[in-house]
Amino acid sequence: MRHKATMRRAAVATTAAAALTLTACGGGDGGGGEASADGGTVSIYNCEPQNLMPGNSTEVCGSKVLEQLYTGLTGVDFETYEAVPGVAEEWETEDNETWTFHLGEDWTFHNGDEITAQTFVDTFNWTVDPENAQQNASFYDKIAGYQALVDGEAEELEGVRAVDDYTLEIELTEPFSPLPLMLSYTGFYPLPQEAFEDPDSYEQAPVGNGQYQMDGEWVHDQHINLTRYEDYAGEEAGKPANIEWRIYADAEAAYLDAQSGELDVMDEVTPNHWGQLEADFGDNQQSFETSSFEYLGFPLYQEEYQDVDVRRALSMAIDREEIIEQIFDGQNVPASGVIPPMMPEYRDDACDTCSFEPDRAAELYEEAGGPSELTLYFNSGAGHEAWTEAVANQWQENLGVESVEFESMEFAQYLDLHDSDEITGPFRLGWVLSYPATQYAMEPIYTTDQSSNYTGFSNEEFDRLIDEGNSATDQDAASTAYQEAEDILMEEMPLIPLWFKSYPVVTSERVDDSSVVMDYRTFVRVEDLEVTE
């Protein structure tokens, strides 16, 4: 999920069946003391959120906090990646197009206000209304009436209806089987009336319906404190009594605090420390595979990259395993396609040209007349310099490329270049699953005319297969369609899959390391952490 836009429908600078793979760098019970009787207080690293309004939160710094403050219509089982009840106890559909959700009757916001079907009707309409400029509005684009509301031709979503106090009906413009999973996403969390009346004030101390409630206000650039909500209507209360999200401008300072025990959990350790984690933390560190996917895209509107053999050769000339070992201390997983390894549709042989084959690559590149000079683009300030330089060196060594220039800039400026089709060479981007559906690993960034499709890739058969997977009522049929769509991507190679990122998590002695879990989005499950006295 880039950190200020990990959850976007735009590409990031970073979503059902198998459990997320855990690669432990250390083990043991951690902690060493008895569990705190009331759950204790845990402190965890965070960066400064862009905002704390669910409909507007598109980056991990805010979304991590909102995850604790709210519960959506649905949730996610982080072992099976299936949709599970949230505020909605059950749901049904006959055609994947009209869905009925039956809400529990005991849900309230932290201020005591009741949550009903109308709560979600009001929230969804407010989020999509262009006057409110919510960045997550585009996630609603499959709901009937979305475009009319965006265009100002309607005042509310035609496809969202409160049948009665506890029955919500959602009608889509086309069949979409991942809807229950998508509704677990941050942008669909329910909002109380006070959020609509004064949004700016509201997000300084959001009133949610989740396992935790605000303890005071958001102290910008310092901390956001939460306390367990004892009247939570869900099945499980959070384990820590209090959560302190400590905001750091400097990850190095956070690392030092984690070393000294002043910070209990740090989940965004920079790569320069990965080789010394065992020395610095002993057993109190683990590594988790995630859906965070890094790739090099091709500007297909540039003539030099319109020959698929040029694209295939550039892919086969990269030794992914060597780069992962030397630069990422073995943490990342080489990509053999675009579907993350934890998804049931994942195949380790989906990509025929993702393996390192320098001789075959050189032959293809010469025959296709690949460019002797090229420019490699990446966003600055995120630690991409070392590996992009390694890729450039391998292209020069294995393909005879004479020179590689680098263009890097701040992410906002970087996306502006993409939006105006001013990229002239391979470019670095990433993607992370906002919800665990294979559809989300492909549709937003490769289907025709999607706003995040920065390669310009367009293939009618690919688009048809994505639609087929989305509308399938049978999971096996959906999986087959998605895999066939991935086959087309890997045949046409509008991008070079590089790796799926693993993230180390370090903890203090106060945290039982067996309770530490990072999910597919790179979120530590803070509510499950066990701390000692």
Side-chain angles (χ1 to χ4, degrees):
M1 198 200 149
R2 73 181 165 99
H3 289 304
K4 283 291 185 181
T6 289
M7 306 293 292
R8 290 190 63 181
R9 270 190 113 162
V12 298
T14 132
T15 96
L20 186 136
T21 303
L22 166 65
T23 303
C25 297
D29 296 329
E34 295 184 2
S36 173
D38 67 352
T41 297
V42 63
S43 59
I44 182 168
Y45 167 86
N46 204 3
C47 42
E48 172 73 358
Q50 186 180 38
N51 56 66
L52 288 181
M53 183 64 76
N56 213 24
S57 181
T58 60
E59 40 79 27
V60 298
C61 311
S63 295
K64 288 178 179 179
V65 179
L66 296 173
E67 177 89 357
Q68 310 303 321
L69 290 173
Y70 293 88
T71 295
L73 268 175
T74 61
V76 173
D77 184 316
F78 293 104
E79 292 186 353
T80 66
Y81 298 144
E82 296 175 344
V84 296
V87 176
E89 294 181 339
E90 58 183 6
W91 51 88
E92 69 262 0
T93 182
E94 294 183 356
D95 56 7
N96 284 337
E97 191 166 338
T98 299
W99 297 74
T100 302
F101 293 84
H102 303 281
L103 278 56
E105 299 185 12
D106 298 325
W107 287 88
T108 65
F109 289 106
H110 299 147
N111 63 5
D113 289 354
E114 185 182 16
I115 296 176
T116 67
Q118 190 62 41
T119 303
F120 286 95
V121 173
D122 294 341
T123 298
F124 291 3
N125 283 322
W126 186 88
T127 301
V128 174
D129 188 338
E131 291 188 4
N132 300 318
Q134 299 295 288
Q135 296 180 83
N136 283 322
S138 61
F139 275 87
Y140 292 75
D141 63 357
K142 296 182 186 299
I143 296 178
Y146 167 84
Q147 198 59 50
L149 181 52
V150 169
D151 292 342
E153 299 171 358
E155 295 184 358
E156 59 185 21
L157 291 164
E158 175 191 348
V160 181
R161 298 178 285 270
V163 177
D164 56 41
D165 283 351
Y166 302 106
T167 306
L168 180 71
E169 187 174 86
I170 299 178
E171 180 185 349
L172 308 179
T173 57
E174 58 188 29
F176 186 64
S177 59
L179 180 67
L181 283 169
M182 186 175 75
L183 290 173
S184 71
Y185 173 59
T186 310
F188 295 95
Y189 291 157
L191 294 173
Q193 285 298 313
E194 66 183 83
F196 312 138
E197 296 164 2
D198 190 350
D200 292 338
S201 296
Y202 172 79
E203 68 174 327
Q204 303 313 307
V207 176
N209 66 322
Q211 293 167 294
Y212 290 84
Q213 60 185 332
M214 291 290 292
D215 182 8
E217 293 192 349
W218 170 12
V219 180
H220 290 265
D221 300 309
Q222 295 185 39
H223 61 78
I224 300 169
N225 292 338
L226 311 181
T227 186
R228 190 167 52 211
Y229 182 52
E230 301 299 343
D231 294 326
Y232 180 62
E235 292 187 2
E236 295 185 10
K239 291 181 180 178
N242 304 289
I243 299 171
E244 296 178 357
W245 290 100
R246 295 188 184 172
I247 300 171
Y248 289 82
D250 181 10
E252 292 299 315
Y255 189 83
L256 292 174
D257 279 356
Q259 274 189 285
S260 67
E262 293 296 316
L263 179 69
D264 290 320
V265 181
M266 185 175 183
D267 58 346
E268 295 186 33
V269 178
T270 52
N272 60 300
H273 289 297
W274 289 0
Q276 63 195 61
L277 292 179
E278 186 170 359
D280 289 346
F281 289 92
D283 289 344
N284 297 322
Q285 45 89 25
Q286 303 175 64
S287 184
F288 297 86
E289 292 181 8
T290 73
S291 69
S292 183
F293 174 58
E294 201 147 40
Y295 67 92
L296 288 173
F298 292 106
L300 299 183
Y301 49 84
Q302 296 288 344
E303 184 177 354
E304 302 95 314
Y305 302 101
Q306 291 176 0
D307 189 324
V308 67
D309 283 341
V310 170
R311 306 195 294 269
R312 292 168 179 166
L314 287 166
S315 175
M316 291 188 292
I318 299 174
D319 189 340
R320 294 159 177 78
E321 293 186 357
E322 180 181 67
I323 292 175
I324 289 171
E325 187 61 35
Q326 293 188 358
I327 296 176
F328 297 110
D329 197 49
Q331 291 279 352
N332 294 340
V333 178
S336 61
V338 300
I339 298 175
M342 67 280 301
M343 291 292 96
E345 292 81 10
Y346 169 78
R347 297 164 295 169
D348 60 10
D349 59 353
C351 178
D352 181 53
T353 53
C354 291
S355 57
F356 180 50
E357 300 183 55
D359 293 339
R360 181 182 171 199
E363 182 179 349
L364 270 183
Y365 202 71
E366 182 177 1
E367 291 177 354
S372 60
E373 300 177 354
L374 52 82
T375 302
L376 178 56
Y377 292 78
F378 62 93
N379 54 294
S380 60
H384 303 308
E385 289 79 6
W387 72 259
T388 52
E389 183 176 352
V391 167
N393 289 339
Q394 290 180 356
W395 282 343
Q396 291 177 293
E397 179 180 351
N398 298 321
L399 299 178
V401 172
E402 294 178 6
S403 68
V404 179
E405 295 185 359
F406 299 91
E407 287 283 349
S408 64
M409 61 212 71
E410 292 296 324
F411 200 72
Q413 181 184 4
Y414 187 58
L415 289 184
D416 286 342
L417 277 186
H418 285 286
D419 290 335
S420 58
D421 289 347
E422 295 181 47
I423 300 290
T424 63
F427 55 86
R428 178 269 164 200
L429 279 175
W431 193 253
V432 70
L433 300 186
S434 295
Y435 51 91
T438 296
Q439 163 268 337
Y440 192 76
M442 294 189 288
E443 183 175 12
I445 46 179
Y446 310 118
T447 51
T448 302
D449 293 333
Q450 284 283 340
S451 61
S452 298
N453 183 350
Y454 291 116
T455 66
F457 178 69
S458 179
N459 183 289
E460 290 184 2
E461 180 64 8
F462 174 84
D463 294 350
R464 186 192 67 77
L465 286 165
I466 292 295
D467 287 342
E468 182 179 320
N470 290 349
S471 61
T473 56
D474 176 75
Q475 180 59 48
D476 289 340
S479 295
T480 298
Y482 290 137
Q483 288 177 334
E484 290 178 358
E486 185 185 34
D487 289 341
I488 291 174
L489 274 181
M490 296 299 91
E491 177 69 20
E492 296 297 323
M493 291 296 284
L495 76 158
I496 299 175
L498 292 174
W499 40 73
F500 290 95
K501 299 173 72 174
S502 296
Y503 285 82
V505 178
V506 300
T507 58
S508 73
E509 292 287 345
R510 297 181 61 251
V511 176
D512 183 341
D513 66 346
S514 68
S515 70
V516 180
V517 175
M518 175 179 279
D519 67 30
Y520 60 91
R521 299 166 301 176
T522 76
F523 289 11
V524 169
R525 306 308 309 163
V526 188
E527 72 278 7
D528 290 333
L529 293 173
E530 296 182 3
V531 297
T532 59
E533 297 284 1

